[in-house]
């Protein structure tokens, strides 16, 4: 996977966002609101067109509808995660909880349920973009904020992570969760606190699955399980913790 390298502060770059939705009215409305925020928008209505954009463009964020005529959004999400770590927001039907869990499991960072308010989408995009800017290289060259726990090394300054001297390819959301747990190692961190650290929003009970799925994805990448955790331990009914060395 690769994170997009941002240009120096002397050069202004408009962040590129890909919107994929076969409902043209929705796609065009989201594009209108986001373009008013200064983003560069690329709107597609089919998965085939979307995959071409993913392969040929240097994107900063993707918004993917689950239901598309030629391929579902999950497949596009998987393709993106094979090479890129930029944020992915899934669009799901309100009643389809399984879609939300599936998207997060495949590497999506957030989801928005239909119908939604355009301003809600703008807020979520901004939140994801703020983390991606930090993750994508603005701290390049710095080595402050280095956390070492056994074979796990996290560099907060460069937003890089290695496990047993091998790069650990994390999405911005996964990096923030792992960093938060490491910064508070030895303490139990509740799902509510993790949710706030990642999204900065008010915590809602319905979002419990969001943190759970991201923790599971982190464990898979780190090669550990709930039953035999090397780093991330579950404190049932309370939250998660990483022990002090």
């Amino acid at each position: 996977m690769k994170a997009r390298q941002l240009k120096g502060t002397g050069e202004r770059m408009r962040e590129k966002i890909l919107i994929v939705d076969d409902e043209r009215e929705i796609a065009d409305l989201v594009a209108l609101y986001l373009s008013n925020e200064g983003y560069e928008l690329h709107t597609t209505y089919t998965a085939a067109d979307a995959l071409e954009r993913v392969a040929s463009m240097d994107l900063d964020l993707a918004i993917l509808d689950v239901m598309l005529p030629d391929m579902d959004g999950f497949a596009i999400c998987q393709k993106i995660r094979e090479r890129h770590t930029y944020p992915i927001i899934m669009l799901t039907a309100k009643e389809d909880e399984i879609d939300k869990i599936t998207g997060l499991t495949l590497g999506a960072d957030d989801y928005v349920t239909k119908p939604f308010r355009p301003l809600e989408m703008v807020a979520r995009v901004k939140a994801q973009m703020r983390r991606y800017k930090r993750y994508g290289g603005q701290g390049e060259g710095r080595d402050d904020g280095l956390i070492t726990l056994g074979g796990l090394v996290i560099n907060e300054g460069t937003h890089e992570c290695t496990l047993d001297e091998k790069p650990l390819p994390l999405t911005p959301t996964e990096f923030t969760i792992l960093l938060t747990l490491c910064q508070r190692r030895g303490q139990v961190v509740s799902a509510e606190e993790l949710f706030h650290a990642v999204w900065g929003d008010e915590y809602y009970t319905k979002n419990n699955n969001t943190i759970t799925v991201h923790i599971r994805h982190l464990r898979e990448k780190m090669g550990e399980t709930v039953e035999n955790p090397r780093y991330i331990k579950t404190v049932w009914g309370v939250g998660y913790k990483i022990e002090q060395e």
Side-chain angles (χ1 to χ4, degrees), residues 11-170:
E11 299 178 66
R12 185 178 185 275
M13 176 164 40
R14 297 177 65 198
E15 293 92 346
K16 296 179 181 177
I17 297 176
L18 176 67
I19 300 173
V20 188
D21 196 321
D22 62 328
E23 296 184 72
R24 292 175 178 257
E25 289 185 0
I26 292 178
D28 293 345
L29 182 63
V30 172
L32 175 63
Y33 272 78
L34 289 174
S35 64
N36 288 338
E37 298 295 325
Y39 298 117
E40 180 180 323
L41 277 301
H42 299 269
T43 306
T44 67
Y45 310 106
T46 66
D49 192 11
L51 290 175
E52 289 183 9
R53 304 289 183 97
V54 168
S56 63
M57 297 181 63
D58 214 5
L59 297 167
D60 293 284
L61 184 143
I63 299 172
L64 310 177
D65 186 26
V66 171
M67 299 299 294
L68 295 167
D70 49 343
M71 180 190 296
D72 64 41
F74 300 139
I76 302 175
C77 181
Q78 284 182 296
K79 287 290 186 182
I80 291 175
R81 282 292 173 254
E82 288 175 2
R83 296 191 61 192
H84 306 284
T85 59
Y86 56 74
I88 297 173
I89 298 176
M90 303 296 297
L91 293 177
T92 69
K94 190 170 184 178
E95 66 274 11
D96 292 336
E97 183 72 17
I98 188 63
D99 283 352
K100 302 172 189 176
I101 296 174
T102 301
L104 293 171
T105 300
L106 294 175
D109 295 276
D110 199 2
Y111 58 82
V112 176
T113 56
K114 296 181 179 180
F116 58 86
R117 295 175 299 170
L119 290 178
E120 176 191 359
M121 176 64 77
V122 170
R124 289 179 179 268
V125 166
K126 285 183 175 181
Q128 291 293 338
M129 202 68 80
R130 281 194 299 271
R131 283 196 304 281
Y132 180 56
K133 283 183 179 180
R134 294 195 298 268
Y135 181 81
Q138 291 211 352
E140 190 173 0
R142 295 166 49 195
D143 60 2
D144 55 316
L146 194 67
I147 298 175
T148 303
L149 290 170
L152 179 66
V153 179
I154 300 179
N155 192 317
E156 185 180 359
T158 62
H159 280 250
E160 295 174 326
C161 183
T162 60
L163 180 61
D164 298 329
E165 300 183 353
K166 297 179 181 179
L168 195 60
L170 303 179

Side-chain angles (χ1 to χ4, degrees), residues 4 100 182:
R4 184 181 177 195
K100 302 172 189 176
C182 287

